[in-house]
Amino acid sequence: MAIVVPCYNEEPVLEDTARQLTDLLKDLTQRGIISPDSYMLFVNDGSTDRTWELMRREFENNDLFCAMNLAANVGHQNALLAGLSQVCDMCDIAISIDADLQDDIGVIEEMIAKYKAGADIVYGVRKERKTDTFFKRFTAQSFYRVMNLLGVKSIYNHADYRLMSNRALNQLMQYGERNLFIRGIVPLIGYKTDKVYYARKERTAGESKYPLKKMISFAFDGITSFSIKPITMVMLAGIIIIFCSVIAYIYILASFFSGSTVSGWSSIMASIWFLGGLQLLAIGIVGEYVGKTYLEVKQRPRFNVEKILRHDAANSNGDDN
Ligand code: UDP
Ligand code: MG
């Protein structure tokens, strides 16, 4: 098993996190739940503090600790992917978790149990958000709602705390897109999934790396890289306005013939409504093509073959668990 931890300026929590995870790994190994060659991989996402220095020191003193240094800050999602791609061929299961350990590491054992029971992906889901501020709770919840409304499959109250099997990881690596929103992609992989529930703790030290600005851009990224519905909405608006223009025409003609208009008003009003609607519709149509192109260039895998049953020598695809 591998535990992947992305870290950006996590100097205040790093040592404690490493110690807690080490204790956990030792305990699970001792009880025969995971193999003795399990390890953790910390990814330094271009930190500007002493994070990397601490990692190097930890590596010297701890056999279970591996470290990876990214040359520049690439953001949580990319840092996590870097770590996962590194461990993907060197583990049977990988668990990703934030460096601040706000997510309860106590449920890792339960995750593994669910993996052993046949799940390829086990999501860590927050039971409640008592420790979050009202603001964070509200923004996060609206985020999931909007995502679902726009047709992006995502797991409610699940961040990037999850277990993935080797074959699920390999499939994740097939997604070559740049605008990476791992949380949205993982549900597309398929396989049997399961959830474990836990209470999210407060950050013990250091501060959140997701200020409002980053949260908004994260949400926007998530939506625009999964859905072209906003474009369809523009088109819909165009159609509605063209429809309105018919009503406006009746009103304009009526006023014109009753003679209660200033000269020139009728023709200007008629053009504004109709042309406005037509323009929106045209933009929407162009947008649909741009949207299709966008979906194409991502070259996402179209399917994920889990197994083939055939009556010849090569009997199955993928590994048997
Ligand atoms: N993180 C990262 N690169 C960044 C920002 C954050 O690797 O550019 C990591 C960070 O070190 C932490 C995780 O992403 O392990 C989640 O960040 P944080 O705990 O600050 O977010 P929050 O829990 O407040 O949503
Ligand atoms: Mg956190």
Side-chain angles (χ1 to χ4, degrees), residues 6 8 10 45 73 76 99-100 102 136 200 203 208-209:
Y8 174 61
E10 297 290 7
D45 183 16
N73 178 252
H76 177 205
D100 52 14
Q102 282 182 285
K136 176 111 191 175
R200 188 162 154 106
R203 214 180 218 285
S208 172
K209 308 297 179 304

Side-chain angles (χ1 to χ4, degrees), residues 163 174 196 209 239 271 284:
L163 172 149
Q174 302 299 314
V196 296
K209 308 297 179 304
I239 294 173
S271 349

Side-chain angles (χ1 to χ4, degrees), residues 289-302:
Y289 287 100
V290 176
K292 291 264 150 54
T293 315
Y294 175 58
L295 294 181
E296 290 295 333
V297 293
K298 284 204 263 217
Q299 302 206 356
R300 287 185 176 176
R302 294 188 205 181

Side-chain angles (χ1 to χ4, degrees), residues 102-114:
Q102 282 182 285
D103 308 304
D104 184 6
I105 59 171
V107 296
I108 288 186
E109 192 175 338
E110 199 183 333
M111 282 181 162
I112 298 170
K114 296 211 157 150

Side-chain angles (χ1 to χ4, degrees), residues 238 241-242 244-246 248-249 252 264-280:
I241 289 184
I242 287 184
C244 290
S245 81
V246 175
Y249 271 19
I252 292 163
W265 179 82
S266 314
S267 48
I268 287 177
M269 278 312 279
S271 349
I272 285 177
W273 275 92
F274 183 67
L275 276 182
L278 201 65
Q279 278 171 346
L280 276 182

Side-chain angles (χ1 to χ4, degrees), residues 235-255:
M235 195 147 93
L236 204 69
I239 294 173
I240 291 173
I241 289 184
I242 287 184
F243 181 71
C244 290
S245 81
V246 175
I247 299 169
Y249 271 19
I250 298 170
Y251 173 66
I252 292 163
L253 282 179
S255 322

Side-chain angles (χ1 to χ4, degrees), residues 13-300:
V13 297
L14 192 96
E15 279 163 325
D16 186 51
T17 301
R19 192 184 46 74
Q20 286 193 43
L21 289 176
T22 307
D23 290 349
L24 180 85
L25 282 178
K26 281 186 179 152
D27 176 51
L28 291 177
T29 312
Q30 226 164 39
R31 289 192 285 137
I33 295 173
I34 55 174
S35 84
D37 46 9
S38 299
Y39 58 97
M40 51 196 159
L41 174 68
F42 278 56
V43 181
N44 174 29
D45 183 16
S47 300
T48 49
D49 62 1
R50 288 174 49 245
T51 299
W52 178 239
E53 211 180 305
L54 293 180
M55 281 190 190
R56 282 215 312 252
R57 198 189 311 154
E58 189 69 31
F59 170 74
E60 302 283 314
N61 303 324
N62 187 341
D63 288 341
L64 304 173
F65 188 97
C66 303
M68 179 180 191
N69 192 27
L70 299 179
N73 178 252
V74 290
H76 177 205
Q77 299 287 293
N78 282 312
L80 179 57
L81 194 78
L84 290 176
S85 68
Q86 185 63 35
V87 302
C88 139
D89 294 321
M90 295 189 296
C91 64
D92 51 353
I93 45 177
I95 291 175
S96 51
I97 189 166
D98 288 351
D100 52 14
L101 294 194
Q102 282 182 285
D103 308 304
D104 184 6
I105 59 171
V107 296
I108 288 186
E109 192 175 338
E110 199 183 333
M111 282 181 162
I112 298 170
K114 296 211 157 150
Y115 162 76
K116 288 183 176 160
D120 275 90
I121 299 167
V122 184
Y123 298 106
V125 176
R126 274 171 241 169
K127 256 195 298 223
E128 74 240 355
R129 283 174 168 266
K130 275 200 203 115
T131 56
D132 281 354
T133 58
F134 170 76
F135 176 71
K136 176 111 191 175
R137 203 156 55 198
F138 177 74
T139 46
Q141 260 160 12
S142 337
F143 171 64
Y144 291 109
R145 294 233 171 85
V146 173
M147 292 290 277
N148 278 333
L149 214 67
L150 292 176
V152 185
K153 273 200 213 169
S154 62
I155 308 291
Y156 189 65
N157 265 349
H158 159 69
D160 281 302
Y161 182 32
R162 77 178 78 79
L163 172 149
M164 290 178 82
S165 71
N166 178 280
R167 60 176 187 169
L169 272 180
N170 273 303
Q171 182 67 10
L172 176 67
M173 298 305 151
Q174 302 299 314
Y175 287 77
E177 56 203 81
R178 305 283 118 173
N179 287 303
L180 205 67
F181 187 68
I182 302 178
R183 253 173 254 184
I185 294 179
V186 173
L188 299 179
I189 292 176
Y191 294 135
K192 189 170 174 302
T193 63
D194 213 330
K195 292 176 191 166
V196 296
Y197 296 88
Y198 64 94
R200 188 162 154 106
K201 289 180 250 175
E202 240 164 303
R203 214 180 218 285
T204 45
E207 52 198 41
S208 172
K209 308 297 179 304
Y210 273 99
L212 182 64
K213 200 172 132 234
K214 260 198 194 169
M215 254 168 17
I216 292 176
S217 87
F218 184 63
F220 195 70
D221 237 26
I223 291 166
T224 51
S225 48
F226 273 86
S227 169
I228 55 171
K229 276 207 181 153
I231 299 175
T232 317
M233 285 177 187
V234 171
M235 195 147 93
L236 204 69
I239 294 173
I240 291 173
I241 289 184
I242 287 184
F243 181 71
C244 290
S245 81
V246 175
I247 299 169
Y249 271 19
I250 298 170
Y251 173 66
I252 292 163
L253 282 179
S255 322
F256 181 72
F257 284 116
S258 68
S260 61
T261 58
V262 191
S263 91
W265 179 82
S266 314
S267 48
I268 287 177
M269 278 312 279
S271 349
I272 285 177
W273 275 92
F274 183 67
L275 276 182
L278 201 65
Q279 278 171 346
L280 276 182
L281 182 65
I283 293 173
I285 292 175
V286 173
E288 283 293 320
Y289 287 100
V290 176
K292 291 264 150 54
T293 315
Y294 175 58
L295 294 181
E296 290 295 333
V297 293
K298 284 204 263 217
Q299 302 206 356
R300 287 185 176 176

